[in-house]
Amino acid sequence: MRFLPDAEQNAFAHSLDRMLAAAGTPGAVRAWARGEHGPGLALWRRLAEAGVLGLAVPEAYGGVGPLPVELAVAYERLGRHAVPGPVVETAAVAALLSHLAAAGEPGPAEEWLPGVCAGGTRVTLTLPAGGPYALDADVCDGVFVVREGMTGEEGDGAAGVPGDGASGAASGTGRTHLGGAPGDGARTEGTHAGVRPGDGTRMDRTRAGAAPVRERAPLAAPPVRLFLAGGHGPVQSSVDPARRLARPVLGEEVPLPESAVRAAAAHAAGWAAFACAAQALGVGSALLERTVAYVRTRTQFGSPVGAFQAVKHRLADTRTALEFARPLVHGAAVALAAGAPGAAAEVAAAKATACDVAYAAARTALQLHGAIGYTAEYDLSLWIGKARALRSAWGSPADFRALALHLFFE
Amino acid sequence: MDLDLTPEQEDFRAEARAWLAAHVPEVPPRSLETREGFAEHRAWERTLAADRWSAVTWPEEYGGRGRSLLEWLLFEEEYHAAGAPARVSQNGVCLLAPALFAHGTEEQRARLLPPMASGATVWAQAWSEPEAGSDLASLRSVAVRERGGWLLRGQKTWSSRAAFADRAFGLFRSHADPGRPPHHGLTYAMFPLDAPGVTVRPLGRLDGRPAFAEIFLDDVFVPDADVLGEPGRGWRVAMSTAGDERGLTLRSPGRFLAAARRLVALWRATADPDDTALCDRVADVAVRARAYQLYGYGVAARLEAGGTLGSEPSMSKLFWSELDLALHGTALDLLGPYGELAGTAADAPEGGRWADGYTFALAGPLYAGTNEIQRDIVAERVLGLPRGMR
């Protein structure tokens, strides 16, 4: 056992750090947020040249993967530099299409993935495990939409915005479920603990000692289908201005066997959560580094504020939390690389923890910067918003923790 | 990066598992915080040592197996999964022994280590004093030079299990170094708890058990052979192994993994499946236990690759002490009205393990350097923040 990145993986990380630090990334992020994609796309091409966009793509389709350990290492750096664009979604589309290819449906992988790896083709997606929005659909050539339901309509016609009187009240619940939008009436029978993203199975638990029983999906389970979007709705602002969200407008269905789509969607959801966890780890690290640098130089009461225990202790807690989150992300990478049956639970543990840690780091960073941290023009804002957005992306920490409990089911 | 074991490591793990299955007593010994329980735990140490399981990382010549940190982690996973008894010899095996390996003489190692491994000599720590807690270097107990050795004089306190232990080790002010920082001029001394001049007064801990004691020293003679390292340089000796006290080796990941498994089983057996808030708490501690396990594997790999830990053990200490409290606190909440029962109560679930574990966990953020001290260390030595008022 050598549970440690090797020299090559470390060198890869350092070269990405150098490249992103020298590339004026914060400026590219701000331009991206305004819908000016030029500088961000230049960065995107450099990521392609570095091989980052092919890490989840098998060699047969122009990639170098799947290499989950390298992806964890690289995506932590993307988060650390707040790189804009559908980075997580690119990995998830690669997982979706290569899983379909492995199930005997190589068409979409052959069509899309070589261009994705080269950087010329940009893709994004929505999955039942995530929300209704496709990230950066406005700059993507391919927007993949995996839908549960007979018609392919979002939420099978029950979609709505939470708090929007009609649909929210009609569904009678404000709960978020994996695999459904808030207020998605179709899934209200699930519980946080019980629903596994995308695999169409359900956990039933009974009282008094009975073990949770994993059941096949009921016969009425809605089919899972894959579409390519024909367009998208208006861009919705995110708390992270660099995350440009839009509802895809359904285009043609990609005609594939339902079971293959269902399995590929579950696989893709796992990769999305995993890539998101690695990215969040980098976001948390950046928030910590920037705050440590700030409190060393900011002076009040005749002393650097970083000499005060109230300040030190919050940063020590942040550093400690990151120290123990990283092994979970790396453990998930090893499990994915091995195709281990417990990989979904390992990924869930990593996602819940890394996103929690990044979010807590953002709170600490803002508090310890004081008012300067509350300004949009100060670069800290790039990470504060991203930490909040990633926390809920592809499922909440509570959803993922419930899934991670499977690590401990004998 | 991988999590694979070599065939030899698999064999080692299997050997440990088989041995534990054959030897772990079906009826657990009584609490080691009581006189009878202490004796039962000492007997268990003898059983462990007879087959060289009491100190697997030590060299074979002292009763160990010369195993790596990774193999020790595996052993600990098996040990706690088997529900084996707490280790009464831990202060010696995990804390004094590393100092002996790093700073002791060959004579000291040959004389002190084998009886430590067998449980024949159980060691207690003697660091804290009534006026020296977190600020340990301000300690006032003295070692006065005497022909062939030193006379110890003063008072030590919060000494875990000193009421029943055989010997103790600690720091004493031996050299007046006016104008120098207080951690200069200290000597690391080892002494018998039944020596003339030693008075041990047990103190009841929160649950009333005589878990620790104060030690009064009235001109207790310690021969030069029982001074560890150079006289006057004891702080360096003590701090060189402080990481062992705080880090992985004090509270191994296996301990929390086993407890997390029991917690998840308890939740599945008793909890309201609709109580998602409780589910979230159970999952949170289970995930933290897994994180600590993986962190341990990473540390083992780093040390194997020639790395060092520096002040990182302070992060481990923060992590496991808070995990332990969350774990046992969640269990008591799951137990509902039974969560209130003391570990000694006839009705206490699982023989009082959760209640006793909770009481023990309450001390975690206090001992081995309070968590406030650990946060200062992380902030100053890991993050490089300036020193300030404590």
Side-chain angles (χ1 to χ4, degrees):
Chain A
M1 183 194 299
R2 190 180 182 283
F3 189 57
L4 199 64
D6 61 27
E8 210 174 315
Q9 287 156 349
N10 284 328
F12 182 43
H14 291 143
S15 73
L16 287 175
D17 259 340
R18 275 196 304 276
M19 187 260 274
L20 293 167
T25 309
V29 177
R30 291 182 182 282
W32 191 276
R34 292 191 300 269
E36 297 159 18
H37 292 113
L41 292 179
L43 203 57
W44 197 257
R45 278 188 293 276
R46 301 191 66 175
L47 292 176
E49 283 161 20
V52 173
L53 303 181
L55 289 172
V57 178
E59 285 179 27
Y61 307 106
V64 294
L67 292 173
V69 174
E70 280 74 7
L71 189 138
V73 164
Y75 274 51
E76 182 176 343
R77 264 56 195 189
L78 301 187
R80 187 154 170 253
H81 295 273
V83 168
V87 289
V88 166
E89 293 67 22
T90 298
V93 168
L96 179 79
L97 300 190
S98 56
H99 197 276
L100 286 170
E105 303 292 343
E110 286 166 354
E111 183 183 346
W112 290 95
L113 293 181
V116 168
C117 297
T121 303
R122 291 174 300 276
V123 291
T124 187
L125 84 171
T126 69
L127 292 168
Y133 305 110
L135 184 70
D136 294 314
D138 58 338
V139 74
C140 285
D141 308 290
V143 179
F144 292 85
V145 179
V146 179
R147 282 278 163 83
E148 269 183 335
M150 297 305 291
T151 64
E153 289 305 311
E154 185 184 304
D156 211 6
V161 176
D164 147 5
S167 57
S171 68
T173 174
R175 270 173 157 184
T176 304
H177 299 289
L178 275 179
D184 168 353
R187 297 293 296 269
T188 49
E189 86 287 0
T191 67
H192 286 280
V195 181
R196 294 169 59 90
D199 72 357
T201 59
R202 201 159 62 86
M203 300 285 302
D204 274 353
R205 294 207 303 118
T206 53
R207 292 190 69 115
V213 178
R214 199 152 171 267
E215 287 182 347
R216 289 306 306 159
L219 288 178
V224 180
R225 301 157 74 189
L226 176 64
F227 299 83
L228 268 168
H232 61 82
V235 170
Q236 310 278 330
S237 302
S238 158
V239 288
D240 172 7
R243 284 172 60 86
R244 296 167 59 81
L245 307 169
R247 285 178 192 262
V249 173
L250 280 196
E252 55 182 306
E253 181 171 3
V254 184
L256 293 168
E258 197 272 348
S259 61
V261 175
R262 180 183 293 277
H267 183 67
W271 275 77
F274 166 63
C276 193
Q279 193 186 12
L281 204 54
V283 168
S285 303
L287 287 159
L288 174 68
E289 283 165 30
R290 300 181 78 88
T291 308
V292 166
Y294 180 79
V295 302
R296 284 165 66 112
T297 54
R298 169 70 176 169
T299 298
Q300 289 288 275
F301 305 105
S303 164
V305 297
F308 302 138
Q309 275 191 319
V311 170
K312 278 179 170 167
H313 288 191
R314 285 193 74 161
L315 291 170
D317 284 340
T318 306
R319 177 67 176 76
T320 302
L322 283 163
E323 184 75 5
F324 287 86
R326 190 168 288 103
L328 288 171
V329 174
H330 290 173
V334 170
L336 283 174
E346 300 278 3
V347 166
K351 169 68 167 78
T353 304
C355 286
D356 259 358
V357 169
Y359 181 59
R363 291 281 299 104
T364 293
L366 175 55
Q367 187 65 29
L368 299 188
H369 273 81
I372 185 74
Y374 194 67
T375 57
E377 71 260 37
Y378 192 67
D379 278 350
L380 191 73
S381 63
L382 307 185
W383 288 273
I384 289 177
K386 198 174 288 297
R388 177 59 251 183
L390 294 183
R391 182 174 158 88
S392 313
W394 307 105
S396 74
D399 294 332
F400 283 111
R401 267 195 287 277
L403 185 55
L405 262 178
H406 291 249
L407 284 173
F408 286 80
F409 289 177
E410 309 278 316
Chain B
M1 187 167 358
D2 71 275
L3 289 165
D4 304 328
L5 298 182
T6 63
E8 208 216 340
Q9 288 161 347
E10 294 280 15
D11 288 349
F12 172 74
R13 178 175 208 136
E15 187 189 350
R17 183 177 296 181
W19 187 89
L20 289 161
H23 291 85
V24 169
E26 266 183 42
V27 179
R30 283 169 282 184
S31 166
L32 65 76
E33 315 294 359
T34 63
R35 183 172 296 282
E36 346 36 280
F38 193 90
E40 291 168 14
H41 281 80
R42 192 198 286 270
W44 167 246
E45 292 294 327
R46 215 161 35 238
T47 306
L48 278 169
D51 290 321
R52 291 190 302 121
W53 288 110
S54 64
V56 297
T57 56
W58 290 10
E60 295 191 15
E61 57 186 303
Y62 303 120
R65 289 170 173 254
R67 292 291 181 165
S68 67
L69 179 61
L70 173 61
E71 289 163 324
W72 178 79
L73 290 169
L74 300 176
F75 170 74
E76 284 285 305
E77 286 180 19
E78 294 300 327
Y79 188 87
H80 291 283
R87 299 294 305 275
V88 72
S89 66
Q90 178 151 34
N91 284 337
V93 171
C94 297
L95 307 180
L96 176 56
L100 282 168
F101 285 121
H103 300 280
T105 65
E106 189 42 53
E107 184 278 328
Q108 287 174 328
R109 287 194 279 269
R111 174 164 54 91
L112 299 174
L113 289 173
M116 185 191 296
S118 71
T121 306
V122 175
W123 291 82
Q125 302 182 81
W127 304 119
S128 295
E129 297 182 2
E131 303 298 330
S134 288
D135 184 10
L136 180 62
S138 71
L139 62 86
R140 298 175 184 178
S141 294
V142 295
V144 179
R145 192 65 185 143
E146 172 81 359
R147 192 141 52 93
W150 301 80
L151 288 175
L152 306 183
R153 197 176 295 157
Q155 182 186 351
K156 295 290 183 177
T157 192
W158 317 132
S159 181
S160 292
R161 293 179 288 282
F164 315 118
D166 306 299
R167 290 173 70 90
F169 54 96
L171 287 176
F172 297 85
R173 190 160 302 283
S174 55
H175 297 66
D177 277 337
R180 303 197 68 185
H183 53 274
H184 287 264
L186 301 175
T187 290
Y188 193 122
M190 302 175 279
F191 57 96
L193 284 163
D194 59 357
V198 176
T199 307
V200 177
R201 196 174 76 86
L203 295 162
R205 68 173 186 185
L206 209 49
D207 64 358
R209 285 174 176 153
F212 45 31
E214 18 180 32
I215 304 171
F216 298 89
L217 300 140
D218 185 13
D219 288 342
V220 177
F221 181 73
V222 171
D224 286 331
D226 283 344
V227 168
L228 183 49
E230 203 182 321
R233 296 282 187 88
W235 183 263
R236 212 170 54 92
V237 178
M239 289 306 122
S240 70
T241 57
D244 296 302
E245 186 190 20
R246 292 164 183 163
L248 284 174
T249 46
L250 180 60
R251 299 284 176 255
S252 74
R255 183 178 184 275
F256 301 97
L257 274 180
R261 280 204 195 89
R262 290 197 293 120
L263 179 70
V264 172
L266 180 69
W267 172 71
R268 294 175 84 183
T270 62
D272 175 354
D274 291 331
D275 189 342
T276 51
L278 203 49
C279 168
D280 195 55
R281 288 175 61 197
V282 171
D284 178 51
V285 294
V287 165
R288 282 151 78 180
R290 173 66 172 158
Y292 190 30
Q293 179 190 30
L294 291 169
Y295 170 82
Y297 294 156
V299 167
R302 258 191 299 162
L303 295 179
E304 190 82 12
T308 53
L309 291 185
S311 299
E312 284 186 29
S314 288
M315 290 193 276
S316 297
K317 202 263 167 167
L318 287 169
F319 192 79
W320 63 247
S321 59
E322 290 178 357
L323 167 58
D324 207 23
L325 263 177
L327 211 158
H328 286 90
T330 303
L332 295 188
D333 285 348
L334 275 167
L335 292 172
Y338 303 101
E340 175 190 344
L341 294 174
T344 48
D347 280 1
E350 298 187 45
R353 283 184 81 168
W354 293 118
D356 287 344
Y358 178 73
T359 303
F360 190 69
L362 283 174
L366 311 178
Y367 60 72
T370 64
N371 283 12
E372 285 71 26
I373 291 293
Q374 308 304 337
R375 288 186 175 97
D376 277 355
I377 292 172
V378 174
E380 290 169 14
R381 300 190 204 154
V382 180
L383 296 176
L385 292 174
R387 268 188 78 93
M389 283 293 291
R390 295 277 178 254

